[in-house]
Amino acid sequence: MKIIAPASSANLGPGFDSIGLAVNRYLEVTVGPASSTWQVDHDLPAISHGSDNLIIQAALTVVSSLPPHQIKVTSAIPLAHGLGSSSAAIVAGIELANQLAHLQLTAQEKIQLAAKIEGHPDNVAPAILGGIVVGTNIEDEFVAVKAPTPPYRLLAYVPPYNVVTAKARAVLPSQLPFSQAVHASAVANTLVAALFGQRYDVLGKLMEADEFHEQVRSALVPELSRIRKLGHESGAVATYLSGAGPTIMTLLPATQVSEFKKSLQASGLTASTLDLTIDQAGVRVVD
């Protein structure tokens, strides 16, 4: 049995901690035989091979008495780069418990469990449902709603350095002036309306009008403004900081991907890129 959980990209600009999408890079967990202790085989740096591995911890959060197994983990998701590597691990762990304990959890039940572990649903919900998901916590219930998928590709620019999430959150303001908070919220609300109404003519402007986090985090990821400018010149829809960064995501028509990649290279932006599509399936199990 193999569990496949997709990477994800959160915020989409002003949808801070509430909007995310799944992309076609995957964490795969192959479940082996039962064992006396949890054994996690992988070649990922600085990641546990035992029961304190995040995948196993998530599984044990669901079923504390889950019998140990040998599992093999492979991942094409860059670690600590704003592409939901920890969320994919949490989602895979919940699915591991679901399968081994025969729980038959619904997607909504998986979202409740994953969001409680993660703290918010912006990465875990799309990793479970696939596509673009808007969600939040209301009275201790995580509500997640899947939006229509826009007809675009994504190009992720992945800098070689990490941005620790705690540091990225530390630079955020503790409060906003009331008028700014109202406007920032209105932009986010209109972005959601544009996604559901498929108003792609205004989608890009809204995604790039964030007032919650990108302005202060841009100092941690100086390539953001340069890539956004190149995106405008290459016919991109929008460029945004993926999660806490440092990955920078550009939404663009498929026909513009090649030209945009060339413009990055020509401008000296030579870090690795990932040519992505939006994953529609979310977490799944294959035999």
Side-chain angles (χ1 to χ4, degrees), residues 85-102:
S85 57
S86 62
S87 294
I90 290 169
V91 169
I94 290 169
E95 192 58 54
L96 178 64
N98 185 42
Q99 297 297 320
L100 292 180
H102 308 289

Side-chain angles (χ1 to χ4, degrees), residues 3-280:
I3 298 166
I4 301 172
S8 53
S9 176
N11 299 333
L12 278 68
F16 186 63
D17 278 2
S18 60
I19 305 178
L21 56 82
V23 295
N24 63 329
R25 288 292 183 275
Y26 301 99
L27 172 77
E28 298 185 357
V29 177
T30 302
V31 183
S35 177
S36 58
T37 60
W38 287 103
Q39 300 175 33
V40 186
D41 178 27
H42 63 79
D43 59 3
L44 304 171
I47 301 294
S48 170
H49 291 268
S51 60
D52 52 349
N53 183 284
L54 182 57
I55 296 170
I56 307 306
Q57 286 295 298
L60 294 176
T61 298
V62 180
V63 181
S64 60
S65 60
L66 200 67
H69 279 67
Q70 298 176 21
I71 67 172
K72 180 179 180 180
V73 177
T74 59
S75 180
I77 307 173
L79 298 176
H81 269 76
L83 285 169
S85 57
S86 62
S87 294
I90 290 169
V91 169
I94 290 169
E95 192 58 54
L96 178 64
N98 185 42
Q99 297 297 320
L100 292 180
H102 308 289
L103 300 177
Q104 297 184 320
L105 295 172
T106 66
Q108 289 300 318
E109 288 170 334
K110 294 174 191 176
I111 290 170
Q112 301 307 309
L113 291 164
K116 284 180 180 178
I117 295 171
E118 182 81 336
H120 40 80
D122 56 348
N123 283 103
V124 294
I128 292 168
L129 296 175
I132 296 179
V133 182
V134 183
T136 193
N137 180 21
I138 297 293
E139 297 179 350
D140 294 326
E141 178 184 1
F142 289 92
V143 179
V145 183
K146 193 169 179 177
T149 299
Y152 301 116
R153 295 276 283 275
L154 294 146
L155 189 77
Y157 183 84
V158 187
Y161 55 87
N162 293 343
V163 172
V164 178
T165 300
K167 183 178 181 181
R169 287 196 175 269
V171 301
L172 298 175
S174 59
Q175 58 186 8
L176 294 175
F178 182 78
S179 60
Q180 183 183 354
V182 169
H183 185 257
S185 178
V187 170
N189 292 343
T190 311
L191 171 61
V192 172
L195 285 169
F196 280 89
Q198 301 181 51
R199 283 289 309 277
Y200 302 135
D201 57 317
V202 297
L203 185 64
K205 289 183 178 180
L206 293 162
M207 288 177 66
E208 293 187 350
D210 168 67
E211 296 181 37
F212 289 121
H213 70 112
E214 286 193 349
Q215 292 178 7
V216 291
R217 285 176 167 172
S218 60
L220 303 177
V221 189
E223 299 93 335
L224 176 60
S225 61
R226 293 176 62 194
I227 292 175
R228 180 167 286 161
K229 182 175 183 294
L230 291 170
H232 293 166
E233 295 170 357
S234 299
V237 176
T239 296
Y240 67 93
L241 189 64
S242 184
T247 294
I248 298 162
M249 197 73 79
T250 300
L251 189 72
L252 70 174
T255 54
Q256 301 302 114
V257 172
S258 178
E259 178 187 340
F260 182 52
K261 290 171 72 172
K262 290 177 182 177
S263 72
L264 293 176
Q265 292 282 332
S267 300
L269 294 161
T270 57
S272 63
T273 58
L274 300 175
D275 187 353
L276 303 170
T277 59
I278 297 176
D279 174 275
Q280 298 291 349

